[in-house]
mmCIF file of all heavy atoms in Angstrom:
data_model
loop_
_atom_site.group_PDB
_atom_site.id
_atom_site.type_symbol
_atom_site.label_atom_id
_atom_site.label_comp_id
_atom_site.label_asym_id
_atom_site.label_seq_id
_atom_site.Cartn_x
_atom_site.Cartn_y
_atom_site.Cartn_z
ATOM 1 N N GLN X 9 112.609 68.004 5.705
ATOM 2 C CA GLN X 9 113.582 68.582 4.773
ATOM 3 C C GLN X 9 114.938 67.892 4.897
ATOM 4 O O GLN X 9 115.600 67.623 3.888
ATOM 5 C CB GLN X 9 113.715 70.082 5.035
ATOM 6 C CG GLN X 9 112.502 70.893 4.610
ATOM 7 C CD GLN X 9 112.659 72.374 4.897
ATOM 8 O OE1 GLN X 9 113.574 72.800 5.621
ATOM 9 N NE2 GLN X 9 111.777 73.190 4.350
ATOM 10 N N GLN X 107 127.565 47.584 14.816
ATOM 11 C CA GLN X 107 127.692 46.169 15.156
ATOM 12 C C GLN X 107 126.331 45.572 15.524
ATOM 13 O O GLN X 107 126.009 44.446 15.121
ATOM 14 C CB GLN X 107 128.664 45.988 16.324
ATOM 15 C CG GLN X 107 128.877 44.532 16.721
ATOM 16 C CD GLN X 107 129.873 44.388 17.852
ATOM 17 O OE1 GLN X 107 130.484 45.357 18.284
ATOM 18 N NE2 GLN X 107 130.047 43.169 18.334
ATOM 19 N N PHE X 169 117.471 81.865 42.054
ATOM 20 C CA PHE X 169 116.932 81.065 40.948
ATOM 21 C C PHE X 169 115.834 80.146 41.458
ATOM 22 O O PHE X 169 114.744 80.060 40.870
ATOM 23 C CB PHE X 169 118.031 80.205 40.321
ATOM 24 C CG PHE X 169 119.045 80.953 39.502
ATOM 25 C CD1 PHE X 169 120.276 80.376 39.212
ATOM 26 C CD2 PHE X 169 118.793 82.225 39.013
ATOM 27 C CE1 PHE X 169 121.217 81.035 38.448
ATOM 28 C CE2 PHE X 169 119.732 82.910 38.256
ATOM 29 C CZ PHE X 169 120.946 82.301 37.978
ATOM 30 N N THR X 208 132.780 90.732 39.059
ATOM 31 C CA THR X 208 132.085 90.268 37.863
ATOM 32 C C THR X 208 131.301 89.012 38.200
ATOM 33 O O THR X 208 131.849 88.056 38.751
ATOM 34 C CB THR X 208 133.074 89.971 36.726
ATOM 35 O OG1 THR X 208 133.698 91.189 36.313
ATOM 36 C CG2 THR X 208 132.354 89.366 35.524
ATOM 37 N N VAL X 214 117.931 77.789 34.087
ATOM 38 C CA VAL X 214 117.118 77.024 33.156
ATOM 39 C C VAL X 214 115.665 77.124 33.596
ATOM 40 O O VAL X 214 115.341 76.871 34.764
ATOM 41 C CB VAL X 214 117.545 75.545 33.115
ATOM 42 C CG1 VAL X 214 116.628 74.750 32.184
ATOM 43 C CG2 VAL X 214 118.994 75.414 32.670
ATOM 44 N N GLU X 290 120.779 74.537 25.049
ATOM 45 C CA GLU X 290 122.145 74.538 25.561
ATOM 46 C C GLU X 290 122.575 75.975 25.839
ATOM 47 O O GLU X 290 122.160 76.907 25.150
ATOM 48 C CB GLU X 290 123.096 73.896 24.564
ATOM 49 C CG GLU X 290 122.872 72.413 24.367
ATOM 50 C CD GLU X 290 123.851 71.802 23.379
ATOM 51 O OE1 GLU X 290 123.592 71.920 22.168
ATOM 52 O OE2 GLU X 290 124.851 71.222 23.818
ATOM 53 N N THR X 303 127.255 82.924 9.397
ATOM 54 C CA THR X 303 125.799 82.791 9.507
ATOM 55 C C THR X 303 125.123 84.156 9.411
ATOM 56 O O THR X 303 125.591 85.143 9.982
ATOM 57 C CB THR X 303 125.429 82.135 10.848
ATOM 58 O OG1 THR X 303 126.024 80.846 10.909
ATOM 59 C CG2 THR X 303 123.921 81.995 11.000
ATOM 60 N N GLY X 323 142.297 94.084 36.915
ATOM 61 C CA GLY X 323 140.929 93.573 36.998
ATOM 62 C C GLY X 323 140.300 93.515 35.618
ATOM 63 O O GLY X 323 140.941 93.831 34.603
#
Side-chain angles (χ1 to χ4, degrees):
Q9 289 179 348
Q107 181 178 355
F169 288 161
T208 294
V214 177
E290 293 181 278
T303 300

